[in-house]
Amino acid sequence: MKRDDAGFILGYQCSRIAGGDITINQHGYQVRMLERYYLPQTHVDTPALCSVHLEGTKHPCDDDVAIVQAVAGSLQYLRRPDIAFALRQVCWLMSKASPSVVQAAARILQYVRDTGEYVNRFHEDEADGILRVYADTSHGERTVSSMLSFFNGGVIDYDVARIKQCDSSTTGELGGLVKHIKRIECTRNFLSEIRHPQPGPTPVYLDSQALVQAITKDGPHGLMKHEAKWIVRARESVTRGIIEPRLIPRHENLADPGTATRGPTDFIPMRDATLSSHQHALTTQEIAHREAYPHVREARANIASRRAAAAATQHQQQQQQQQQQRV
């Protein structure tokens, strides 16, 4: 079997399509999972409702707890970053499952059913071999941090986690970043093992100017003792060449849907920049959504410059050969 014709690997269907792009999906698992549940036929655009605030109950019904645990357990094996935050909310409350939590779990299943054609796609025209990461943290009732890692245009890792309650949004962002740095290092090591060593520090896109300044400039930080460890860890990662913080506008941060529930207007463009709706040519809308984000723009610029350099080198070699023939 050729490397390009891997087929199924650990339940994931891998295929190379026209143009050289590689797609990975779990359609088979999705179909088998959804057959176990009866779901309403109504169509949903997002995995969670912005208008619903989930709360647990002190006296949950045993049946509700069992249903939520079964649904959450099934969805945990589905590697889709677009449902990560909604699923984490359900998991945090499944031992205190209220009717609203049961409905939230059912909505995630509906969303998976209605978006079953989405795949993780690695793009040939973005295959510059550089790992790029988005990170974001929400500061509120729960401090939630999200990370989304891209390699060659496709999602290679993601995470949604709760952070210790912090006094400010900047310290919350700092705690979330330090938690994600460990995963970034592991991903870099993995890429090195499969012969894709990173040529430099990993770009980490952040939308907090205060955070970028805090970890890129030496000097006093004025943080409490446990928070001071975070900034020392972050600065060490910058010094060692593990990460390179880059400031971007909030609307370009693809990790944002992993920290809070978003409506269709904000959620759909970010989802289309993360996943592809089918295994064939991208739609005009999907292309427009992707080009709005820095990891796509930078990768395509790198590919274009490499091709231009290769063309210039080839042209120079041809000229030298012609001169040698004349002599």
Side-chain angles (χ1 to χ4, degrees):
M1 178 180 291
K2 297 181 180 179
R3 184 178 61 182
D4 294 346
D5 303 326
F8 286 86
I9 302 176
L10 299 176
Y12 291 83
Q13 182 180 1
C14 307
S15 58
R16 185 182 292 273
I17 60 177
D21 292 0
I22 296 174
T23 63
I24 300 176
N25 67 75
Q26 294 174 276
H27 290 166
Y29 176 74
Q30 287 181 185
V31 171
R32 293 193 300 272
M33 176 186 66
L34 293 172
E35 287 175 348
R36 298 168 52 191
Y37 304 101
Y38 173 78
L39 300 172
Q41 294 301 315
T42 54
H43 179 83
V44 297
D45 294 321
T46 60
L49 286 172
C50 296
S51 58
V52 176
H53 178 69
L54 290 184
E55 291 184 353
T57 177
K58 295 181 179 178
H59 306 287
C61 172
D62 291 341
D63 290 341
D64 288 347
V65 172
I67 291 172
V68 173
Q69 288 178 342
V71 172
S74 299
L75 290 170
Q76 289 282 3
Y77 289 98
L78 194 60
R79 299 295 294 170
R80 286 188 51 168
D82 52 336
I83 66 171
F85 180 73
L87 179 57
R88 287 294 180 269
Q89 280 192 307
V90 170
C91 290
W92 291 331
L93 297 171
M94 63 183 177
S95 62
K96 303 177 181 179
S98 62
S100 64
V101 177
V102 176
Q103 292 174 2
R107 184 181 176 87
I108 300 175
L109 289 174
Q110 286 179 263
Y111 173 78
V112 170
R113 178 199 63 195
D114 295 338
T115 58
E117 76 280 6
Y118 274 78
V119 297
N120 188 13
R121 185 168 182 164
F122 295 86
H123 299 258
E124 181 69 20
D125 60 349
E126 299 169 22
D128 64 346
I130 296 178
L131 176 69
R132 295 178 173 87
V133 179
Y134 292 85
D136 194 23
T137 302
S138 65
H139 183 68
E141 182 181 352
R142 292 189 183 96
T143 302
V144 181
S145 186
S146 172
M147 177 204 71
L148 193 60
S149 299
F150 287 89
F151 180 74
N152 291 352
V155 178
I156 194 173
D157 189 24
Y158 69 90
D159 186 33
V160 175
R162 294 173 67 174
I163 308 299
K164 285 184 178 180
Q165 197 66 27
C166 302
D167 297 332
S168 67
S169 59
T170 302
T171 50
E173 295 255 8
L174 177 61
L177 176 61
V178 170
K179 185 176 182 65
H180 300 319
I181 285 174
K182 298 178 182 178
R183 294 184 70 107
I184 294 172
E185 288 191 79
C186 290
T187 304
R188 287 172 60 91
N189 292 336
F190 166 74
L191 290 174
S192 296
E193 290 178 1
I194 61 172
R195 300 181 182 179
H196 287 285
Q198 295 303 288
T202 297
V204 178
Y205 304 111
L206 305 167
D207 56 28
S208 171
Q209 184 174 5
L211 175 62
V212 173
Q213 291 178 347
I215 62 179
T216 55
K217 295 181 179 179
D218 294 330
H221 42 71
L223 300 176
M224 299 180 67
K225 184 175 181 180
H226 71 283
E227 295 171 343
K229 295 180 181 179
W230 293 346
I231 199 164
V232 170
R233 179 76 173 88
R235 288 177 176 176
E236 284 180 352
S237 298
V238 174
T239 304
R240 292 168 50 206
I242 302 298
I243 65 170
E244 179 188 344
R246 296 184 182 178
L247 182 64
I248 60 171
R250 173 169 287 276
H251 67 271
E252 292 185 359
N253 196 336
L254 286 176
D256 180 68
T259 63
T261 304
R262 302 300 179 196
T265 303
D266 297 326
F267 178 81
I268 291 176
M270 291 188 170
R271 178 196 64 196
D272 290 348
T274 305
L275 303 173
S276 297
S277 62
H278 44 68
Q279 297 191 26
H280 304 291
L282 295 179
T283 65
T284 304
Q285 183 182 30
E286 288 174 332
I287 293 174
H289 287 171
R290 289 188 60 80
E291 291 178 346
Y293 297 95
H295 77 283
V296 175
R297 297 195 299 266
E298 292 179 9
R300 291 183 176 177
N302 280 349
I303 294 295
S305 63
R306 290 178 185 179
R307 288 174 178 172
T313 302
Q314 184 178 8
H315 179 68
Q316 186 178 6
Q317 291 175 349
Q318 290 176 349
Q319 287 184 330
Q320 290 176 351
Q321 290 177 356
Q322 292 175 355
Q323 290 177 355
Q324 290 175 356
Q325 290 175 354
R326 291 172 184 174
V327 172

